């Protein structure tokens, strides 16, 4: 075998000894020893004979391998190796020829110098000739040393080259075996899933019921393909629940008419655009049941940055990262309540609950949002209904970075710039948001900052996808010095704690704890007031169980998901409205993105084609900017790098970090419907 595992003994070097009539021992002369017992002496002898024959064969194979190299090397590798050795041999021959020439000419030079010494010449000339003779001798010695070193190197390379080639081939074989094993595991898992679904008796579903045998907790994966071909071909699978019309939906009230339509996409889109400020949509087309060869895509992605991997829309949800960022405002009423607090410590409790609430939508949302194009924007104007309006813009593409600004007439401002870094590690995907979130309350001037925790998506290849949040968040009030430490406890199979647990402490600048927070990031957060009395030893006392229950305040509770959310990517009520067409938005708004719209309407094949077109258009724009920058550098002329339209990069006076801050002008342009500065990105 070209590889070993724990417990194996190499037969070529094994010691086989007979202990008694039925027992015999196999060892490798080291730590590995097997004591074996046969039922009879005849059986023992058969085993010993078979092992001795196998050992002789192994020794012979080892000798042949050492003599002739690895026989399993492919013909191409053999040819390449032979060509390399042939070239090296010819070079050594050239060096040998040079050595002979140097020796020949060196001898001739020394003879000539000796003849010159024999002549009767002035004393000065004799000294010069001796000096030249010594230098010639030294040159000859150095040349011989160089030739000998080259010859030794060549012999060494020939000796070890075969061993290196063998080691390389073993590594290749091992990698292929691992890939085949992993692919086989994925296929076996798929067969088991399908067998389970086939064994499950599905109730007869009525129109719009959404009954499904599909694993509803895995909206991002799709089914693994049974196809053996290694390609990214997508194909339709039978639908197992009724879907509303994928083309166009005219909404009246909260109902959706699902009549079929053959009109063009542009006409459908215009048909959808209406005044959504009064009536918000409560449904989107159901997610179709598409399947794809997951392994053919994933096996080339290990260790790469997720944003640089070309992914089909089958892994996406029909929202962009800008819209996902805007979903942080789903529980904006927590900030409204915080703005009315007179105590900064109580206010900090509500800010902490708001921080936790932003993760509540991720528990089932295992699909990937669309990567925004550079210059893409998303607005959410809820000034009339909820008192706030929000704007996001993609300010950088590599690394991906989005700036977000939200103002509320209820007395707060929220702003953030988030850079998403992510790594695919084979079994799981880690998503690390980098950047600081700022929340400023207008009346008190309290300025809070915090950062996001790491999100991990488990079972990427095999098993049911699930998401976990882990890490610590430190929320700081830069005006008063108050602080809150939130701990997101990572899931552990052996822990008795409740899953997705979050704990927190709210403390004043001296470090004294005033409130304790407890809850989960997917359900609710409670607050308990700490009694500030002291015990017998002068230590601060925590409330007893009944006292804690008396002081408990429910800060936040997750809103229930809409009906049939499992068929609509597990979107919340807010998420269902984010991609609804709206008149008057900027031409760079995510609602106008064609591949995202096609995917929402269930036309995934067309969405994949459109996604490739948009990404290629963005690549060409980037290359054009790079060429202009290079040309400007050569000419010595000034060049303005790309700058976002609605945000500007400046140093934050609180955190001393460079960040993109809203510079104004968007809502004024919307009022005038003047979008002349907007780039053509779609």
């Amino acid at each position: 075998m070209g590889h070993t595992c724990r417990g194996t003994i190499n037969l070529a070097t094994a010691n086989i000894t007979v202990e008694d009539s039925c027992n015999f021992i196999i060892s490798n002369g080291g730590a590995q020893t097997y004591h074996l017992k046969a039922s009879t002496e005849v059986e023992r002898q058969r085993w010993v004979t078979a092992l001795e024959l196998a050992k002789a064969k192994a020794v012979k194979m080892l000798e042949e391998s050492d003599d002739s190299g690895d026989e399993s090397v492919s013909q191409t590798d053999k040819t390449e190796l032979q060509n390399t050795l042939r070239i090296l041999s010819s070079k050594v021959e050239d060096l040998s020829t040079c050595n002979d020439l140097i020796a020949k000419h060196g001898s001739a030079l020394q003879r000539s110098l000796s003849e010159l010494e024999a002549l009767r010449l002035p004393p000065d000339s004799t000294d010069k000739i001796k000096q030249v003779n010594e230098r010639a001798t030294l040159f000859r010695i150095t040349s011989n040393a160089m030739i000998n070193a080259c010859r030794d190197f060549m012999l060494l390379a020939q000796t070890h080259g075969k061993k290196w080639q063998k080691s390389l081939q073993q590594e290749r074989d091992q990698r292929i075996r691992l890939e085949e094993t992993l692919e086989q595991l994925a296929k076996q898992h798929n067969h088991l899933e399908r067998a389970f679904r086939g064994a499950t008796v599905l109730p007869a579903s009525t129109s719009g019921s959404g009954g499904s045998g599909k694993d509803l907790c895995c909206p991002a994966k799709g089914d693994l393909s049974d196809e053996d071909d290694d390609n990214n071909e997508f194909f339709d699978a039978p639908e197992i629940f009724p879907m509303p019309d994928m083309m166009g939906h005219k909404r009246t009230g909260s109902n959706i008419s699902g009549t079929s339509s053959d009109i063009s996409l542009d006409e459908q889109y215009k048909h959808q655009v209406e005044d959504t400020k009064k009536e918000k949509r409560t449904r989107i087309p159901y997610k179709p049941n598409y399947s794809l060869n997951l392994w053919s895509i994933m096996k080339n992605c290990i260790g790469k940055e997720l944003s640089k991997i070309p992914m089909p829309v089958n892994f996406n949800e029909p929202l962009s990262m800008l819209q996902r960022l805007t979903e942080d405002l789903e529980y904006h009423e927590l900030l409204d309540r915080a703005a009315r607090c007179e105590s900064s410590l109580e206010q900090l409790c509500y800010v902490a609950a708001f921080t936790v609430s932003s993760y509540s939508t991720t528990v089932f949302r295992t699909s990937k949002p669309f990567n925004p194009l550079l210059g893409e924007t998303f607005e959410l104007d809820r000034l009339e209904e909820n008192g706030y309006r929000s704007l996001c813009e993609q300010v950088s593409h590599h690394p991906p970075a989005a700036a977000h600004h939200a103002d509320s007439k209820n007395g707060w401002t929220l702003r953030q710039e988030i850079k998403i870094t992510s790594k695919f590690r084979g079994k799981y995907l880690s998503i690390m948001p980098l950047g600081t979130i700022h929340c400023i309350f207008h009346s008190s001037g309290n300025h809070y900052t915090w950062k996001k925790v790491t999100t991990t998506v488990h079972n990427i290849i095999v098993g049911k996808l699930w998401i976990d949040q882990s890490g610590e968040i430190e929320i700081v009030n830069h005006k008063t010095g108050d602080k809150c430490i939130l701990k997101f406890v990572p899931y552990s199979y052996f822990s008795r704690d409740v899953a997705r647990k979050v704990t927190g402490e709210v403390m004043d600048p001296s470090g004294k704890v005033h409130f304790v927070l407890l809850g989960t990031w997917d359900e609710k957060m409670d607050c308990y007031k700490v009694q500030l009395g002291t015990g017998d030893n002068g230590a601060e006392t925590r409330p007893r169980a009944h006292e804690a229950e008396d002081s408990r305040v429910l800060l936040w509770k997750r809103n229930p998901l809409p009906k049939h959310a499992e068929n609509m990517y597990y979107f919340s009520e807010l998420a269902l409205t984010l991609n609804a067409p709206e008149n008057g938005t900027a031409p760079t708004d995510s609602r106008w993105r064609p591949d995202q719209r096609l995917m929402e309407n269930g036309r995934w094949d067309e969405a994949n084609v459109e996604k490739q077109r948009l990404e290629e258009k963005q690549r060409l724009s980037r290359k054009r900017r790079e060429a202009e920058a290079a040309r400007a550098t050569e000419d010595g002329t000034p060049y303005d790098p790309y700058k976002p339209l609605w945000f500007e990069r400046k140093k934050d006076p609180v955190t001393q970090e460079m960040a993109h801050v809203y510079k104004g002008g968007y809502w004024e342009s919307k009022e005038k419907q003047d979008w002349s500065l907007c780039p053509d990105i779609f």
Side-chain angles (χ1 to χ4, degrees), residues 19 66 118 185 352 357 400 428 438 440 475 479 509 616 653 669-670:
E19 200 170 26
D66 289 340
L185 280 172
S357 72
Y428 64 90
H438 298 255
I440 303 103
I475 308 172
K479 181 182 178 183
E616 184 60 30
S669 295
K670 182 182 179 182

Side-chain angles (χ1 to χ4, degrees), residues 83-94:
N83 290 336
T84 305
L85 289 173
R86 196 179 299 115
I87 293 169
L88 286 172
S89 298
S90 67
K91 294 296 181 186
V92 169
E93 288 175 4
D94 292 343

Side-chain angles (χ1 to χ4, degrees), residues 210 212 214-223 238-244 246 284-292 313-318 364 366-368 465 564-571 599-604:
S212 170
K214 185 176 171 65
D215 187 357
L216 299 176
C217 293
C218 305
K221 281 187 67 173
D223 294 332
E239 297 172 5
I240 54 176
F241 50 78
M243 291 184 292
M246 293 299 174
I284 60 171
Y286 282 2
K287 178 184 177 182
N289 181 26
Y290 279 95
S291 184
L292 78 162
V313 300
N314 302 54
F315 291 95
N316 287 32
E317 62 181 19
F364 297 121
T366 50
S367 298
K368 174 182 173 290
L465 288 176
H564 304 309
E566 67 274 11
N567 300 331
M568 299 184 290
Y569 310 90
Y570 285 95
F571 280 179
M599 185 197 174
E600 183 185 279
N601 288 335
R603 297 157 64 175
W604 286 16

Side-chain angles (χ1 to χ4, degrees), residues 2-3 174 189-190 231 296 305 317 511 514 557 582 658:
H3 64 285
Q174 190 172 9
H189 174 75
N190 182 45
N231 54 38
S296 65
E305 174 71 28
E317 62 181 19
H514 291 260
K557 186 176 181 180
E582 280 189 24
M658 296 299 293

Side-chain angles (χ1 to χ4, degrees), residues 153-201:
F153 171 76
M154 182 57 195
L155 290 172
L156 192 64
Q158 286 177 331
T159 303
H160 291 281
K162 295 175 182 177
K163 293 182 180 179
W164 293 337
Q165 187 66 28
K166 183 179 178 181
S167 299
L168 177 62
Q169 187 61 31
Q170 288 174 358
E171 290 295 327
R172 286 175 178 168
D173 293 343
Q174 190 172 9
R175 188 195 67 192
I176 292 169
R177 278 194 301 274
L178 285 171
E179 287 185 356
E180 289 173 349
T181 303
L182 194 53
E183 183 172 9
Q184 192 63 32
L185 280 172
K187 288 184 176 180
Q188 287 174 3
H189 174 75
N190 182 45
H191 285 307
L192 287 171
E193 274 191 346
R194 294 194 175 193
F196 173 75
R197 282 202 293 270
T200 305
V201 179

Side-chain angles (χ1 to χ4, degrees), residues 554-569:
L554 178 64
L555 296 175
W556 161 75
K557 186 176 181 180
R558 180 172 66 91
N559 297 327
L561 287 173
K563 192 177 181 181
H564 304 309
E566 67 274 11
N567 300 331
M568 299 184 290
Y569 310 90

Side-chain angles (χ1 to χ4, degrees), residues 241-390:
F241 50 78
M243 291 184 292
D245 173 44
M246 293 299 174
M247 299 303 187
H249 305 273
K250 177 148 183 161
R251 295 165 180 80
T252 55
S254 61
N255 298 321
I256 300 178
S257 61
T259 55
S260 300
S261 174
D262 295 328
I263 57 176
S264 69
L265 179 65
D266 291 338
E267 289 172 344
Q268 295 157 19
Y269 189 65
K270 289 174 185 175
H271 194 60
Q272 288 177 326
V273 175
E274 57 186 60
D275 184 10
T276 56
K277 288 189 177 180
K278 294 179 182 177
E279 296 291 343
K280 304 298 179 188
R281 70 178 184 179
T282 58
R283 296 178 71 185
I284 60 171
Y286 282 2
K287 178 184 177 182
N289 181 26
Y290 279 95
S291 184
L292 78 162
N293 192 336
L294 177 70
W295 172 247
S296 65
I297 297 169
M298 282 298 183
K299 71 178 182 180
N300 296 319
C301 301
I302 296 174
K304 291 185 180 179
E305 174 71 28
L306 188 66
S307 62
K308 296 181 181 179
I309 298 171
M311 289 286 191
V313 300
N314 302 54
F315 291 95
N316 287 32
E317 62 181 19
L319 288 179
S320 77
M321 191 63 207
L322 303 181
Q323 290 163 317
R324 281 293 289 266
L325 206 56
T326 306
E327 281 190 71
D328 286 359
L329 297 171
E330 179 168 3
Y331 298 95
H332 61 89
E333 64 271 6
L334 291 171
L335 296 182
D336 296 342
R337 218 175 301 163
R340 296 193 293 268
C341 289
E342 295 182 1
S343 165
S344 62
L345 291 167
E346 290 180 11
Q347 187 179 72
L348 184 49
C349 291
Y350 284 106
V351 173
F354 174 79
T355 303
V356 175
S357 72
S358 65
Y359 296 98
S360 64
T361 60
T362 64
V363 64
F364 297 121
R365 300 270 291 278
T366 50
S367 298
K368 174 182 173 290
F370 279 79
N371 287 330
L373 303 172
L374 186 63
E376 187 174 332
T377 60
F378 179 73
E379 65 154 83
L380 186 65
D381 189 353
R382 296 290 170 88
L383 206 58
E384 293 180 13
E385 303 96 315
N386 306 120
Y388 72 87
R389 58 186 182 183
S390 159

